[in-house]
Amino acid sequence: MRLRAESLGPGRPLSRLLGVLLLLASFAALASSKEDFKPRITATTFPNIVDGLFYFDDSDVILVFEPHTRTVHRTDDAGVTWEAVDSGSKGNAVNLIPHRFDKKRAYILGPKDKHWYTNDRGESWHEFSSPGPALLEQPLRFHAGDPDKIIFQAYSCKTIIDCEEFIALTTDGFKTEPKKIRGHTRGCRFAHSTELMTTDHDAVDDDRIFCVVRGRNSPWRKDHRLVRSDNHFVEELEPDLDRGRTVQGLVSIATAQRFMVAAARSEGTDEMALFVTSDFENWHRAEFPADHKVVQGAYTLLESTSYSIQVDVMNTKPSSAMGMLYTSNSDGTHFTLNIEHTNRNMRGIVDFEKVSKIQGIVLVNTVDNWEEVEKYGASKKKVQSKISFDDGRTFRKLKVDKDDLHLHSVSELHNAGRVFSSPAPGLVMGIGNTGDHLKDYRKGDLYVSDDAGATWKLARKGAHKYEFGDQGSILVALADEDTTDEIAYSTDHGRTWDTEKLGQKVNGLVLTTVPDSTSLKFLVIGTKGKDLDSEFVLFSVDFGGLHERKCEKDDFEKWYAREEAEGEARCIMGQRQYYIRRKAEADCFINEEFDDPEVRIETCACSDADYECDFGFVKKGDKCELAEGSRPVLPAGACKSADDTYLSSSGYRLIAGNNCTKEDGVVKDKQKEWPCEGAVRPPSDGKISNALTTFDNTIAEWYYLERTATSSGDVDEETIVLRTVDQQIYISHDHGKEWIEVEALKGKHIGAIYPHRHINDRVFFIADSDKVYLSRDRGRTISHFKAPHKPRVDGKAPILSFHPHEKDWMIWSGREDCDGDDSRCQNVASISTEGGDDWDRKTMQRGVRKCEFISQDGNNSSQLIFCEQHRDEDPKKPLRLMASEDFFRKDQLTESIFDDLVDFKTMSEFVVVAAKAEDGEFLKVETSVDGKHFAVAHFPPGFVVPHQRVYTVLKGSQHSVSLHVTVNDAAGREYGSIIKSNSNGTLYTMSLSGVNRNSDGYVDYEMMEGLEGVAIVNVVSNVKEVQDGKAKLLKSMITHNDGGQWDYLTPLNDADGNKIDCAGDASCSLHLHGYTERADARDTFASRSAVGLMIAVGNIGANLEDKSKGNTFMTRDGGFTWNMIKEGQYTWEYGDQGSIIAIVDEAAPTDVVWYSLDEGQTWEQHQFHDEKVEVAEISTVPSDDSRRFLLWGKVGGKIVTISLDFSGLTQRQRLCTLDDNEPEAGDYDLWTPQHPNQKDNCLFGHKARYLRKKPKAQCYNGRKIQHVHDIKEDCDCTNYDYECDYNYERRNDGTCGLVPGYEPPDHSAICAEDAERKEWFEPTGYRLTPSSTCKGGLRLAEQRAHPCPGFEEDFEQRHGGRLSGFALFLVIVIPLALASAVGYWVWTHWDGKFGRIRLGDAGGAGTWDTDSPVVRYAVTAVAVVVAVAMAVPDVVTRAWRSLRGLFGSVGGGAQTYTSRGAFARQRDLYTVVDDDEGELLGDESDEEV
């Protein structure tokens, strides 16, 4: 058709019409383009679960881990296509880890020592080796300044339960194998662990590493330490954490922005101490408000700022988990409360999140019905959401118009990454509901805010997963209530939404994108079914074509964070933040992929909010005031008189990192004048103070509730609680200076006090009812709970038993079915895991004698319980031992593990069970290290115990069981033998016979606390006469090597310093009154905190005499020598860890106490009362680290206590100087104890050095110090370091021989137990004792080696292959020829031949004198020959087998067991129990063990 111009009408030329048509066409095309837009969606199916997904930042490269196939997959196009990483790691991957600070690096860890790394986002991978398998939890620690420096945290295992954690270090990014630099670690970090953690010192920033490590010579958690090194642990030191002292009991270290936090817990408390540093040199304890404490497992270090630490502290039981949110000052040392009743789950995850990239905005969830939840733990929480715009100083509710909004938060995650926000400026989303409180997640809707949480609006109905893209230009959501086949998106800040089909229905698990939210590409992970066993589908969703236009200047707005209602932006840390961001209505994309939004700053004038309290000041209301006991820092030279003044802190300081300007603002940190009066501490009066308290009734029992090093509160608090016979309860918090009757317990008829065995802060008060009173704060407050039954009254077992690790778990032993007669009651055991507030099993077991938690190191079940139960629940029938791992629930079939039980005990790492043997005539003992698997204890042959006899389990050293086995139990003539086990408690050898015990089963045996291997016993020296009915004669003996040898005690000087004429042998020695004569078992010879010191009452002579004839003796060298310190009988106590020793006459009324400040070298007298007092006891805190004591006694028939306070002594005003890295430079010495029977002073394969205060140092020890300083050196292995292997026994000559009828153990089994093991050794009859650390020397257990399967080639390389026939000839014949030549020369030249006894003639020493060089060097030559033979065990063993075939076996058959001492000395000295002794019968006594 042909158009004509006239048809267009006048004045409308063609060109104009065409322009209009083109414009209309473009609009139509644009509208059509948006309506027809479909995001590019690509689906990839994985047959198994995928995990560990992460993006390489600023790229489209993603890695994902498929655990089922142990394979890592990679995509470089944001998930469109995937390929398995095949670099040797395929099928061998167990962990996938991105580098924390380098966007191109990642690591695939294998199950053993082979791993892989990439430095180019996974395009190529390189294998590296490690010294051991990686830890599963956080195996890699990264350096924030040098990506090549990485700590590799690994482990190695000798057996399944004997494993060691260690760290290796790479400084070249694993191009070479990392080197092991520190063993026995429990978690390590670089000082430079975050970008903000930097100092001005290159050594600190570049190389400093902090580690929590095991204690010196101790594996226990209570002794774990913090160490640091600047040269990869070539050297290390312990930092001073608390007032110039190191701290034990380290639990963990963590980082928060520019802070490092170390957490520690002392033994005897669940309270934690947090220590903080920001310069990695100076540490301070974090102080919380006085009425709030941090408890282990009950605090969470939250996302913090560069100028403060946020911590949430749980203040309820885990079942009703709620907390309190605290924020620190800029030092991290003083914390103030922000908000109470924060919501958290039982795993410690807190509903707390900061809005990303914006200072000061925090969202939290709190519990509105907190009182109800606290009281009834199972009550449903009513959770409410709140937001703060000023760093947590104030909070307000979230609002949708006028309605309150509540959002699901961190404690119940439903997507990967942050919950509410991303780097998209001001955009925040969440799932929740309006109303009074938060409802179930499935009932929630999607809400959005584009002003950082100030206002909210409903975005989409229903719960969704959500994500941000293109700096907030696009929001994406995926329905999360059921399976879905579509995805929703919005380009106008959530005001309108479009949807697109995915192509198949999935159960959505994850919706994510690049970490900086700058991309238009997203990834959806879902399953085709509703469980994780279904196929996984990964969708790549690309919105790149939605807008064709790139945003221009007019499409952006200047948006201020934290904008107030009146339009003014709030200042935080002296600055306002703003962003240039895309307008919600702009129809464009920023499309600057991987370019993060830039925050911009405007400086503010200083205000009150920019200041914090200076050090030594605390916030009280709106003001900073001096903390209790603090004074402003006194400048040098100030305060010449009390009338002067001095300039010091105003109490305020500008918060570190604050950028406010003072010119036009508030100035609060200008110094002010302070009066000098009181600024200088007045001098001590130099006196000992006394305080007497009189009680109207006899004291029935008393206990210390000792404050530990990590406990909060008054450092001088020393609490004692007592009960009188008329059931009154008194308490003192100042060590007996002032006593008050506990108001809450008046008239409650308390019949018993039960301190918690493992938590010093807790104490229970038992009345004859089902109402139990308790205190969780050392008696300051009292609460109560209802027990399921009234307490038992038979006294045969404790009413309460406590779990050693779970502080709220306890077993209650009560009574029922009494019918008005307590003697007919049925004993019932119940269990609570809620501290008595709720009883999981009100009737766990009936007819019981006792029940206990079994928590051994090898046991991985915290619920294992043993109960002694009468058969058929009939108290008249025999006992049996019942065990359960689920609190004896009805759905579990519970079986008896021992019938005819006598008793069981737990000690150290063993459970020891005594029961009657099947024939009913003898006792049998079985032991277990895990509470599940028991092994029969093998006593020396012929050593049998009728069931009437008694076992007493003694407190012994680690890794062995010590038993006193009663041999004679005739009344007044009781004694027995001490036998010691091997390392698994199954094979016993004789240690000492004739050891005294009393009729109650207690033994005169005491291990010296704090010193390895030292014990004192009393033995019956006239055994045969005692068997004939005569009275016992006792002698004291001491061992310095854990029972290997026993010696008499040697007295040196009397009380006047004169030498005592006594040889210290069987005819004359020192004898001590021991355990069986004590009124209070707590009165021990020694104290763990006063190493090497012992005090006792005894006499010098042939035997122990009546105590009234005794005097008081003391040793300062661990019992090697003894000196008389006072004539007469004195009772004693150690204070300040042995720097103060107090003794008082116990034989007659007195008004004076004697004390020594130099370990007993000199003594001073102090009069404590103007009347004579009958002193029954002197006591102090159990740790013996106090400078206060308490006397218990009578004055004029009245019961009194007298407090003695030595803290005022002039000589005890200065805290001793202790540098753990150079201890002898201060007030301490390093002391190595002597071992009289070993010249090199080695014990257990090493020489230990102990910290001891110098006796003349005029200072006090203060907080308990770790006395074992180090192991100076490991010694060569000797006979002392070996024990007989399984199925071997001691022969008369001290060697180990195979027990007749037994086969040697299969040592090759170790290869199956330890996959890293490369070789095993044939059994020789010996094995190294687990407690020994010896190196080299005598190698009795390693002679013939064999390769483990798979390591044959390595074995051949290490052992040098096989010898040729000629070499074999030389190795065998030449040493024999040399030995024969030496032997012939000896025979022909020895003056006297074998057997001649040379008396001390006047002539010179002959050739064969032991000091003759001929003897010494000839013997050395023979030793060299032996050493050569030992170097080729393969050849020698074969040769020996051939010779044995010709001449028959060498040595006798089975012999009776020898003592450990005889074995060590290698001579035929041994002790056995006479066969006749086993026939002596006494009274039936099945109840004792």
Side-chain angles (χ1 to χ4, degrees):
M1 178 180 178
R2 188 175 180 181
L3 293 176
R4 295 182 297 177
E6 59 267 19
S7 67
L8 297 175
R12 299 179 67 185
L14 178 60
S15 60
R16 184 177 178 185
L17 179 60
L18 289 174
V20 172
L21 291 175
L22 287 172
L23 184 60
L24 292 172
S26 74
F27 283 142
L30 183 62
S32 174
S33 173
K34 185 171 182 179
E35 290 174 2
D36 296 340
F37 169 77
K38 291 182 179 295
R40 291 187 294 274
I41 299 177
T42 306
T44 304
T45 300
F46 286 80
N48 306 297
I49 187 173
V50 293
D51 193 14
L53 178 146
F54 72 87
Y55 284 80
F56 285 98
D57 202 8
D58 295 344
S59 78
D60 286 330
V61 181
I62 311 172
L63 296 181
V64 70
F65 177 46
E66 189 180 3
H68 184 76
T69 61
R70 290 189 171 188
T71 301
V72 174
H73 300 269
R74 178 181 184 269
T75 176
D76 59 7
D77 51 16
V80 176
T81 59
W82 293 87
E83 289 185 355
V85 172
D86 190 7
S87 58
S89 67
K90 188 175 182 179
N92 294 304
V94 295
N95 208 344
L96 173 63
I97 301 173
H99 197 293
R100 186 178 174 188
F101 304 107
D102 192 306
K103 301 176 181 179
K104 296 183 178 181
R105 302 193 189 199
Y107 307 88
I108 298 173
L109 301 184
K112 297 182 180 179
D113 59 356
K114 300 297 181 186
H115 320 283
W116 299 265
Y117 70 89
T118 179
N119 292 337
D120 54 12
R121 296 194 173 106
E123 289 186 24
S124 61
W125 293 85
H126 310 278
E127 183 179 297
F128 71 93
S129 299
S130 63
L135 294 180
L136 293 178
E137 295 290 331
Q138 299 177 326
L140 303 181
R141 293 292 190 184
F142 300 101
H143 193 285
D146 185 347
D148 284 333
K149 291 180 179 176
I150 304 171
I151 295 171
F152 190 97
Q153 302 197 118
Y155 68 94
S156 62
C157 293
K158 296 179 181 178
T159 65
I160 295 176
I161 63 173
D162 184 12
C163 295
E164 175 200 355
E165 293 181 25
F166 65 89
I167 61 167
L169 177 69
T170 178
T171 58
D172 59 8
F174 295 117
K175 290 184 176 64
T176 58
E177 181 174 333
K179 295 181 179 179
K180 180 178 178 179
I181 62 171
R182 183 57 161 91
H184 299 295
T185 57
R186 297 295 185 272
C188 300
R189 292 177 182 266
F190 289 106
H192 196 180
S193 286
T194 71
E195 291 91 342
L196 295 176
M197 297 175 71
T198 59
T199 68
D200 296 330
H201 305 287
D202 291 340
V204 176
D205 290 345
D206 292 346
D207 293 309
R208 182 161 293 180
I209 297 173
F210 287 91
C211 286
V212 176
V213 300
R214 63 176 283 176
R216 295 187 176 102
N217 200 36
S218 168
W220 310 120
R221 294 178 184 176
K222 67 181 179 65
D223 297 317
H224 287 181
R225 304 173 294 133
L226 181 67
V227 296
R228 80 176 197 213
S229 176
D230 293 338
N231 55 11
H232 306 167
F233 289 98
V234 175
E235 299 171 303
E236 69 180 36
L237 59 83
E238 281 189 71
D240 295 335
L241 299 185
D242 190 11
R243 291 167 292 181
R245 292 288 180 90
T246 60
V247 171
Q248 280 71 51
L250 265 291
V251 176
S252 62
I253 50 175
T255 56
Q257 297 292 343
R258 67 182 182 88
F259 303 97
M260 180 172 283
V261 181
R265 182 177 74 88
S266 297
E267 187 178 28
T269 184
D270 61 345
E271 187 172 358
M272 305 286 289
L274 303 184
F275 302 94
V276 181
T277 183
S278 57
D279 62 5
F280 313 110
E281 290 285 347
N282 301 296
W283 293 78
H284 301 281
R285 178 166 178 167
E287 300 292 341
F288 288 81
D291 54 341
H292 300 150
K293 65 180 184 178
V294 180
V295 176
Q296 184 175 19
Y299 76 97
T300 303
L301 195 63
L302 302 170
E303 180 184 13
S304 300
T305 70
S306 60
Y307 47 86
S308 65
I309 303 172
Q310 272 72 42
V311 174
D312 188 85
V313 178
M314 186 173 70
N315 62 339
T316 63
K317 298 185 297 293
S319 59
S320 56
M322 295 178 288
M324 309 179 82
L325 177 63
Y326 295 90
T327 298
S328 78
N329 60 358
S330 61
D331 289 334
T333 55
H334 286 83
F335 284 77
T336 55
L337 178 65
N338 291 130
I339 191 169
E340 297 183 275
H341 318 306
T342 51
N343 186 50
R344 47 167 40 223
N345 61 24
M346 294 182 67
R347 292 178 293 120
I349 307 300
V350 183
D351 280 348
F352 171 98
E353 186 175 285
K354 292 182 176 293
V355 172
S356 179
K357 301 295 184 181
I358 299 177
Q359 276 185 312
I361 304 182
V362 181
L363 289 95
V364 301
N365 281 348
T366 61
V367 179
D368 185 47
N369 62 330
W370 58 271
E371 290 175 303
E372 179 185 353
V373 173
E374 275 189 1
K375 189 173 182 179
Y376 310 104
S379 297
K380 185 173 178 60
K381 296 177 182 177
K382 294 182 179 180
V383 175
Q384 297 180 337
S385 296
K386 295 180 180 179
I387 190 168
S388 172
F389 293 90
D390 56 5
D391 257 341
R393 292 183 179 89
T394 61
F395 283 87
R396 69 192 195 198
K397 294 183 178 180
L398 282 64
K399 291 290 185 180
V400 179
D401 296 327
K402 295 183 179 181
D403 296 327
D404 295 339
L405 174 64
H406 313 288
L407 301 175
H408 292 271
S409 186
V410 185
S411 64
E412 44 175 334
L413 290 175
H414 293 274
N415 198 14
R418 300 180 71 86
V419 175
F420 300 117
S421 63
S422 77
L427 272 294
V428 187
M429 287 194 283
I431 303 300
N433 57 268
T434 57
D436 294 332
H437 61 272
L438 188 62
K439 299 178 182 177
D440 184 75
Y441 177 80
R442 299 295 177 187
K443 296 180 181 179
D445 300 316
L446 176 62
Y447 290 84
V448 66
S449 169
D450 62 359
D451 53 11
T455 61
W456 295 78
K457 57 180 175 288
L458 176 65
R460 290 184 66 80
K461 284 285 188 181
H464 289 71
K465 299 184 189 301
Y466 46 87
E467 192 52 274
F468 308 82
D470 195 45
Q471 300 184 34
S473 300
I474 185 168
L475 308 181
V476 181
L478 180 73
D480 198 22
E481 293 182 350
D482 203 347
T483 57
T484 184
D485 62 351
E486 68 178 20
I487 193 168
Y489 59 94
S490 170
T491 59
D492 56 5
H493 292 186
R495 297 170 187 173
T496 61
W497 293 80
D498 294 298
T499 60
E500 183 58 46
K501 295 291 185 182
L502 291 171
Q504 54 182 307
K505 279 197 169 187
V506 293
N507 180 39
L509 299 177
V510 175
L511 169 62
T512 188
T513 186
V514 293
D516 57 15
S517 295
T518 60
S519 176
L520 291 165
K521 301 168 186 175
F522 297 81
L523 191 70
V524 174
I525 302 178
T527 58
K528 292 185 177 181
K530 290 192 175 182
D531 57 63
L532 297 181
D533 293 332
S534 308
E535 288 185 322
F536 273 63
V537 184
L538 274 63
F539 297 93
S540 172
V541 184
D542 185 357
F543 291 93
L546 179 58
H547 287 311
E548 296 182 358
R549 187 169 71 86
K550 182 178 173 65
C551 294
E552 300 174 356
K553 183 177 180 181
D554 292 341
D555 296 308
F556 291 91
E557 64 181 353
K558 184 178 183 180
W559 177 78
Y560 280 94
R562 307 181 302 272
E563 191 169 4
E564 296 292 314
E566 57 272 14
E568 184 73 18
R570 186 189 296 255
C571 292
I572 292 286
M573 289 292 288
Q575 60 189 28
R576 297 185 186 91
Q577 282 182 305
Y578 69 92
Y579 286 88
I580 303 299
R581 72 176 189 181
R582 172 188 171 275
K583 296 176 181 176
E585 65 275 8
D587 57 349
C588 61
F589 281 143
I590 299 174
N591 211 12
E592 294 180 1
E593 201 170 28
F594 316 131
D595 189 4
D596 294 2
E598 180 184 355
V599 63
R600 309 189 185 198
I601 301 298
E602 292 178 353
T603 304
C604 305
C606 294
S607 66
D608 289 344
D610 296 308
Y611 294 88
E612 65 181 1
C613 294
D614 203 353
F615 194 77
F617 294 79
V618 294
K619 200 72 173 283
K620 293 184 179 179
D622 296 330
K623 296 182 179 180
C624 290
E625 298 181 6
L626 275 170
E628 185 177 352
S630 296
R631 293 291 300 173
V633 175
L634 185 69
C639 291
K640 301 297 183 183
S641 72
D643 297 329
D644 293 343
T645 61
Y646 66 98
L647 282 176
S648 191
S649 172
S650 65
Y652 296 88
R653 64 182 178 186
L654 199 65
I655 299 172
N658 194 296
N659 296 318
C660 72
T661 58
K662 295 182 181 179
E663 287 78 8
D664 301 320
V666 175
V667 178
K668 303 186 73 171
D669 56 353
K670 185 178 179 181
Q671 285 191 323
K672 62 177 283 189
E673 283 194 349
W674 294 89
C676 284
E677 185 177 1
V680 180
R681 184 178 178 181
S684 167
D685 62 6
K687 297 179 180 179
I688 302 170
S689 62
N690 314 312
L692 182 143
T693 304
T694 302
F695 294 89
D696 294 331
N697 290 285
T698 302
I699 296 172
E701 57 182 337
W702 52 269
Y703 302 94
Y704 281 90
L705 308 178
E706 186 173 5
R707 181 188 180 277
T708 71
T710 59
S711 299
S712 58
D714 183 1
V715 295
D716 293 324
E717 177 196 321
E718 292 172 359
T719 300
I720 316 173
V721 61
L722 66 81
R723 179 178 66 88
T724 63
V725 292
D726 63 345
Q727 301 181 334
Q728 291 176 297
I729 305 297
Y730 291 87
I731 195 165
S732 172
H733 295 291
D734 55 8
H735 210 136
K737 287 184 179 180
E738 181 182 2
W739 292 91
I740 58 172
E741 187 175 359
V742 179
E743 188 68 31
L745 299 178
K746 286 183 177 180
K748 304 302 182 183
H749 304 293
I750 303 301
I753 301 175
Y754 271 78
H756 196 294
R757 281 191 61 188
H758 311 288
I759 304 294
N760 296 359
D761 303 336
R762 297 191 177 189
V763 60
F764 297 78
F765 303 93
I766 311 298
D768 190 21
S769 70
D770 58 4
K771 194 171 186 178
V772 182
Y773 301 87
L774 78 151
S775 173
R776 294 185 173 90
D777 53 8
R778 302 190 292 277
R780 295 195 176 276
T781 60
I782 305 291
S783 59
H784 62 83
F785 62 83
K786 185 176 182 180
H789 308 91
K790 288 184 177 182
R792 66 189 298 169
V793 293
D794 60 0
K796 292 183 178 180
I799 297 169
L800 278 170
S801 297
F802 304 100
H803 196 286
H805 307 305
E806 301 290 344
K807 62 183 179 182
D808 291 319
W809 292 19
M810 58 187 184
I811 298 172
W812 174 265
S813 188
R815 69 185 194 270
E816 65 178 11
D817 302 335
C818 300
D819 297 329
D821 183 357
D822 287 343
S823 64
R824 302 177 57 185
C825 295
Q826 180 78 282
N827 290 332
V828 182
S830 310
I831 187 167
S832 173
T833 58
E834 296 289 340
D837 290 342
D838 183 51
W839 293 90
D840 304 67
R841 301 279 291 145
K842 290 187 177 181
T843 304
M844 184 175 64
Q845 286 282 276
R846 294 166 54 87
V848 299
R849 182 169 69 177
K850 70 175 181 180
C851 292
E852 289 184 11
F853 293 103
I854 305 298
S855 182
Q856 303 305 108
D857 287 344
N859 170 30
N860 56 11
S861 174
S862 61
Q863 297 186 17
L864 181 61
I865 294 175
F866 281 4
C867 282
E868 295 179 355
Q869 184 186 48
H870 291 280
R871 191 176 300 154
D872 301 327
E873 300 178 1
D874 184 350
K876 297 180 181 179
K877 292 186 177 181
L879 289 166
R880 55 181 184 169
L881 185 61
M882 312 295 289
S884 173
E885 292 185 79
D886 70 347
F887 302 155
F888 294 95
R889 300 189 188 281
K890 292 182 179 179
D891 55 356
Q892 182 198 41
L893 179 61
T894 304
E895 297 181 355
S896 170
I897 56 176
F898 285 94
D899 291 320
D900 260 350
L901 178 74
V902 177
D903 206 346
F904 77 90
K905 297 290 181 184
T906 57
M907 47 86 65
S908 186
E909 63 262 57
F910 298 98
V911 181
V912 182
V913 175
K916 294 179 184 178
E918 286 72 12
D919 57 13
E921 292 296 322
F922 302 109
L923 280 182
K924 64 177 181 179
V925 172
E926 297 194 24
T927 56
S928 173
V929 295
D930 62 4
K932 298 178 182 179
H933 305 93
F934 283 84
V936 175
H938 296 286
F939 291 168
F943 185 67
V944 292
V945 185
H947 74 272
Q948 291 91 347
R949 302 296 189 257
V950 178
Y951 291 130
T952 302
V953 181
L954 304 175
K955 185 176 182 179
S957 59
Q958 297 176 23
H959 310 305
S960 68
V961 179
S962 295
L963 289 179
H964 179 276
V965 185
T966 295
V967 174
N968 186 359
D969 61 356
R973 299 192 296 276
E974 301 91 348
Y975 66 87
S977 298
I978 294 177
I979 57 176
K980 288 183 68 70
S981 78
N982 60 354
S983 60
N984 71 342
T986 57
L987 299 177
Y988 286 79
T989 56
M990 185 66 63
S991 178
L992 189 64
S993 64
V995 179
N996 184 52
R997 55 148 283 207
N998 62 16
S999 57
D1000 294 323
Y1002 293 110
V1003 180
D1004 268 346
Y1005 170 95
E1006 184 176 321
M1007 288 287 293
M1008 185 176 184
E1009 295 284 344
L1011 200 60
E1012 294 179 291
V1014 179
I1016 293 178
V1017 299
N1018 282 340
V1019 298
V1020 177
S1021 61
N1022 59 333
V1023 167
K1024 292 192 177 296
E1025 289 86 351
V1026 169
Q1027 291 176 0
D1028 295 333
K1030 292 187 177 181
K1032 292 185 286 187
L1033 297 178
L1034 303 182
K1035 290 179 180 288
S1036 294
M1037 302 189 77
I1038 189 169
T1039 178
H1040 293 269
N1041 59 2
D1042 203 21
Q1045 292 167 289
W1046 293 89
D1047 300 289
Y1048 296 106
L1049 279 64
T1050 304
L1052 286 185
N1053 301 309
D1054 63 18
D1056 296 323
N1058 302 313
K1059 187 170 180 60
I1060 298 173
D1061 184 16
C1062 182
D1065 55 19
S1067 63
C1068 181
S1069 60
L1070 174 64
H1071 311 288
L1072 307 177
H1073 294 272
Y1075 195 90
T1076 58
E1077 297 183 65
R1078 290 178 187 158
D1080 191 330
R1082 293 173 285 191
D1083 297 335
T1084 55
F1085 294 146
S1087 166
R1088 179 175 292 276
S1089 68
V1091 176
L1093 307 184
M1094 284 190 280
I1095 302 176
V1097 173
N1099 62 270
I1100 298 168
N1103 293 290
L1104 183 66
E1105 299 176 2
D1106 187 85
K1107 192 172 183 179
S1108 62
K1109 299 179 180 180
N1111 298 306
T1112 306
F1113 293 83
M1114 181 177 178
T1115 177
R1116 298 179 59 245
D1117 54 14
F1120 191 56
T1121 59
W1122 294 77
N1123 292 290
M1124 186 190 301
I1125 57 175
K1126 283 292 173 186
E1127 293 183 355
Q1129 304 88 54
Y1130 286 76
T1131 184
W1132 61 90
E1133 191 55 271
Y1134 304 92
D1136 191 39
Q1137 303 176 64
S1139 91
I1140 304 173
I1141 303 172
I1143 63 174
V1144 62
D1145 195 331
E1146 66 175 353
T1150 183
D1151 58 357
V1152 298
V1153 62
W1154 292 85
Y1155 66 94
S1156 173
L1157 303 180
D1158 55 8
E1159 296 184 349
Q1161 296 179 49
T1162 61
W1163 294 87
E1164 300 289 336
Q1165 181 178 273
H1166 167 69
Q1167 183 174 351
F1168 57 79
H1169 196 44
D1170 53 7
E1171 294 184 58
K1172 299 285 186 179
V1173 179
E1174 295 179 49
V1175 178
E1177 181 71 88
I1178 180 172
S1179 69
T1180 189
V1181 296
S1183 64
D1184 294 335
D1185 64 0
S1186 173
R1187 286 176 286 168
R1188 291 184 280 188
F1189 301 85
L1190 194 63
L1191 299 177
W1192 306 76
K1194 287 183 179 181
V1195 177
K1198 286 283 189 178
I1199 304 297
V1200 298
T1201 63
I1202 301 174
S1203 171
L1204 304 177
D1205 190 347
F1206 286 74
S1207 61
L1209 285 176
T1210 305
Q1211 304 94 317
R1212 291 296 179 267
Q1213 295 305 298
R1214 177 178 64 87
L1215 180 66
C1216 294
T1217 301
L1218 173 60
D1219 182 348
D1220 272 305
N1221 306 295
E1222 294 184 59
E1224 292 182 298
D1227 293 311
Y1228 292 86
D1229 284 323
L1230 289 176
W1231 174 67
T1232 300
Q1234 292 179 289
H1235 296 291
N1237 299 305
Q1238 291 178 261
K1239 294 181 180 179
D1240 57 6
N1241 290 331
C1242 286
L1243 181 64
F1244 306 125
H1246 59 257
K1247 296 178 184 178
R1249 297 196 301 174
Y1250 295 83
L1251 272 175
R1252 290 199 353 183
K1253 176 182 162 292
K1254 295 174 181 176
K1256 300 303 181 183
Q1258 299 301 317
C1259 58
Y1260 68 95
N1261 285 301
R1263 183 170 52 82
K1264 188 176 180 181
I1265 61 176
Q1266 187 76 3
H1267 287 280
V1268 181
H1269 178 71
D1270 60 12
I1271 303 303
K1272 184 178 180 182
E1273 59 183 271
D1274 286 322
C1275 306
D1276 288 341
C1277 296
T1278 67
N1279 292 331
Y1280 281 103
D1281 299 298
Y1282 290 92
E1283 63 186 9
C1284 289
D1285 202 353
Y1286 293 125
N1287 299 341
Y1288 287 82
E1289 65 182 2
R1290 296 270 186 251
R1291 291 174 170 169
N1292 286 348
D1293 60 0
T1295 62
C1296 293
L1298 192 65
V1299 176
Y1302 287 80
E1303 295 292 328
D1306 181 11
H1307 282 192
S1308 67
I1310 196 172
C1311 297
E1313 297 174 4
D1314 182 3
E1316 304 301 314
R1317 186 82 177 197
K1318 295 183 178 180
E1319 65 184 9
W1320 60 276
F1321 292 90
E1322 285 187 7
T1324 63
Y1326 302 91
R1327 65 178 184 180
L1328 202 65
T1329 57
S1331 57
S1332 177
T1333 62
C1334 69
K1335 301 285 177 23
L1338 191 63
R1339 302 175 68 86
L1340 292 178
E1342 299 178 2
Q1343 293 193 14
R1344 180 177 171 84
H1346 297 273
C1348 286
F1351 292 97
E1352 289 82 3
E1353 184 176 343
D1354 175 83
F1355 180 86
E1356 291 295 330
Q1357 291 176 354
R1358 286 186 295 108
H1359 289 274
R1362 298 181 179 275
L1363 296 175
S1364 64
F1366 182 69
L1368 180 65
F1369 172 80
L1370 293 177
V1371 167
I1372 296 175
V1373 174
I1374 291 178
L1376 290 176
L1378 288 173
S1380 299
V1382 171
Y1384 178 75
W1385 192 92
V1386 168
W1387 180 261
T1388 58
H1389 290 77
W1390 184 23
D1391 180 19
K1393 304 290 190 299
F1394 292 99
R1396 179 178 297 180
I1397 300 175
R1398 289 179 57 87
L1399 300 178
D1401 55 18
T1407 302
W1408 291 102
D1409 185 87
T1410 54
D1411 288 331
S1412 167
V1414 175
V1415 173
R1416 284 187 282 126
Y1417 298 125
V1419 172
T1420 302
V1422 176
V1424 170
V1425 174
V1426 175
V1428 171
M1430 293 292 287
V1432 282
D1434 192 59
V1435 173
V1436 174
T1437 306
R1438 291 180 195 170
W1440 171 246
R1441 284 178 176 173
S1442 300
L1443 293 172
R1444 187 173 61 178
L1446 293 173
F1447 299 109
S1449 62
V1450 178
Q1455 305 291 336
T1456 53
Y1457 279 78
T1458 65
S1459 71
R1460 291 189 173 212
F1463 171 53
R1465 295 189 298 273
Q1466 288 290 287
R1467 62 176 186 254
D1468 188 18
L1469 176 64
Y1470 63 95
T1471 309
V1472 296
V1473 176
D1474 295 337
D1475 293 338
D1476 291 340
E1477 292 176 346
E1479 299 175 1
L1480 295 172
L1481 301 179
D1483 296 333
E1484 291 282 340
S1485 181
D1486 292 345
E1487 299 296 324
E1488 294 183 271
V1489 165

